[in-house]
Amino acid sequence: AADSFNYKSFFSTVGLSSKTPDQIKKVFGILDQDKSGFIEEEELQLFLKNFSSSARVLTAAETKAFLAAGDTDGDGKIGVE
């Protein structure tokens, strides 16, 4: 359902904290569709579709919350670090 995505629950469910740096970089590479070295808002909005083609796109509110959580330097995108 719209606005039901919770990135914290998702990462907990997939066990992100137990992944190795190499595994995280592989996932990052999948999400970084344009291979710019960053995950931008447009790529993040399609986040769930990377896991299932029948999944929905994230809403604007979900995308903004997700981006804010990962954007440690405030440049509007998420770097692999």
Side-chain angles (χ1 to χ4, degrees):
D3 294 320
S4 65
F5 178 74
N6 181 301
Y7 65 88
K8 289 180 183 178
S9 295
F10 179 84
F11 288 138
S12 176
T13 300
V14 298
L16 186 65
S17 62
S18 65
K19 302 294 184 207
T20 68
D22 284 340
Q23 289 171 318
I24 292 172
K25 285 180 182 179
K26 284 181 185 178
V27 171
F28 184 91
I30 292 167
L31 300 176
D32 180 17
Q33 295 286 306
D34 64 2
K35 305 302 179 207
S36 66
F38 297 95
I39 299 171
E40 292 89 4
E41 189 169 345
E42 298 81 21
E43 292 167 322
L44 201 56
Q45 191 172 23
L46 300 173
F47 174 76
L48 294 176
K49 289 202 160 281
N50 287 296
F51 298 96
S52 174
S53 61
S54 63
R56 67 176 178 83
V57 297
L58 296 179
T59 65
E62 291 169 328
T63 304
K64 297 244 185 252
F66 199 178
L67 183 62
D71 181 13
T72 57
D73 62 5
D75 65 354
K77 52 192 173 187
I78 300 171
V80 72
E81 301 82 32

